[in-house]
Amino acid sequence: MNELIIELTEISPKGFFGTQNANIELLKKYFPKLKIVARGNKIITYGDEEMLEEFDKRMDMLVTHFGKYNKLDEDTIERILSSTDLNGVEEAESEGKVLVHGVGGKLIRARTPNQKKLVDLMSKNDMVFAIGPAGTGKTYTGVALAVKALKEKQVRRIILTRPAVEAGENLGFLPGDLKEKLDPYMQPLYDALRDMIPAEKLENYIEKGIIQIAPLAFMRGRTLDNAFVILDEAQNTSHSQMKMFLTRMGKNAKFMITGDPGQIDLPRRVISGLKEALLVLGSVKGIGVIYLDDKDVIRHRLVKNIIEAYKKIEHDNEF
């Protein structure tokens, strides 16, 4: 009797097997002549060589589908096992409306006209500035685009960075090791990633350096190539920090800079690197700029009202 061992290294075995191994049980019904055993992160199958080849081909399609969409249900399994390719299964997704299929099958897409413009700008430019108030989906959309690029092998890694501790990066007074000090400031980036990549896979990506989350100071001296790089909270960069970051760009890199000029935490008389960059680079070919506003707020409906109320009493910060 021939043996076939399929090891699930890039996806969550638990998610792929289904609740109480329901998906494995379904596979057994479709391949009654094979003995199929799920053990750890492996599927061990015994049977006729020709039947094992067919099973291997179908499993490859199932694993590819799960890796892309992070879900696998009975209907999908039946369609994949009875079709010659994935075209029929993926027909609804081929239009490009969905950026990422997140954890639990969550569909992550651009939800407002300006977010859609951001996606379009990013496809046409290697560097994009996304400017707007809190809750407009700047960072979230950017992370989705980065994950999409990684999944489609357009880039080899994702690098997410932001100025730590209101741009001062004075971490010494905080308790714990460096990672413990930094994690609270990187939390919004982790939160977005956890929506889009299963926990085990995300942990594996971080361990291997495929996904890197680090404070802006850690970018100094590096050349960032084959990467999708996002600088978040860019309004809290200084002139030198912004210039340092922008000049890290290497070959086959996508740079996205997000920020809200209305929430600058820099000391008085310190020029915001974001504001300065928008003035200096606004007309440079290959750099896109998109401005999001309160119409793009996708948090609680009150956030939109709060932003509007503050607009009445605030003015843009002076340089």
Side-chain angles (χ1 to χ4, degrees), residues 223-236:
T223 299
L224 307 177
D225 52 12
N226 297 305
F228 197 115
V229 187
I230 299 175
L231 170 58
D232 194 32
E233 299 289 340
Q235 74 275 4
N236 287 330

Side-chain angles (χ1 to χ4, degrees), residues 69-245:
Y69 301 125
N70 291 314
K71 68 174 180 177
L72 197 62
D73 53 32
E74 185 174 340
D75 185 52
T76 301
I77 292 173
E78 288 178 351
R79 279 185 287 167
I80 288 178
L81 293 181
S82 60
S83 67
T84 56
D85 55 44
L86 283 174
N87 289 340
V89 179
E90 298 182 350
E91 190 175 323
E93 312 301 338
S94 62
E95 299 173 8
K97 292 179 181 177
V98 176
L99 297 177
V100 177
H101 288 74
V103 175
K106 181 178 181 179
L107 302 182
I108 296 166
R109 65 182 87 214
R111 292 168 57 183
T112 71
N114 279 333
Q115 287 178 8
K116 290 172 184 174
K117 286 180 184 176
L118 171 56
V119 172
D120 187 51
L121 262 185
M122 205 70 235
S123 69
K124 295 175 180 177
N125 298 276
D126 288 336
M127 182 179 291
V128 170
F129 286 80
I131 312 302
T136 51
K138 307 180 299 295
T139 303
Y140 199 80
T141 303
V143 172
L145 286 168
V147 172
K148 182 176 186 288
L150 183 66
K151 283 190 172 186
E152 294 177 356
K153 295 182 168 47
Q154 295 171 9
V155 297
R156 295 178 190 166
R157 54 186 175 156
I158 295 172
I159 299 172
L160 308 176
T161 186
R162 64 192 309 192
V165 196
E166 288 83 35
E169 301 184 355
N170 298 317
L171 304 170
F173 68 92
L174 292 170
D177 61 21
L178 184 60
K179 186 178 185 301
E180 290 171 334
K181 291 175 180 181
L182 291 172
D183 274 356
Y185 300 95
M186 303 296 153
Q187 203 59 52
L189 302 173
Y190 283 112
D191 289 344
L193 286 168
R194 289 190 186 106
D195 269 3
M196 302 174 200
I197 302 174
E200 291 176 24
K201 194 171 184 178
L202 177 57
E203 188 177 338
N204 181 257
Y205 277 162
I206 292 173
E207 283 179 4
K208 291 181 176 179
I210 295 171
I211 293 179
Q212 301 170 27
I213 305 175
L216 183 57
F218 284 35
M219 298 299 110
R220 195 172 299 279
R222 299 181 64 184
T223 299
L224 307 177
D225 52 12
N226 297 305
F228 197 115
V229 187
I230 299 175
L231 170 58
D232 194 32
E233 299 289 340
Q235 74 275 4
N236 287 330
T237 59
S238 64
H239 160 86
S240 60
Q241 286 175 323
M242 178 61 80
K243 184 180 177 183
M244 177 274 290
F245 172 77

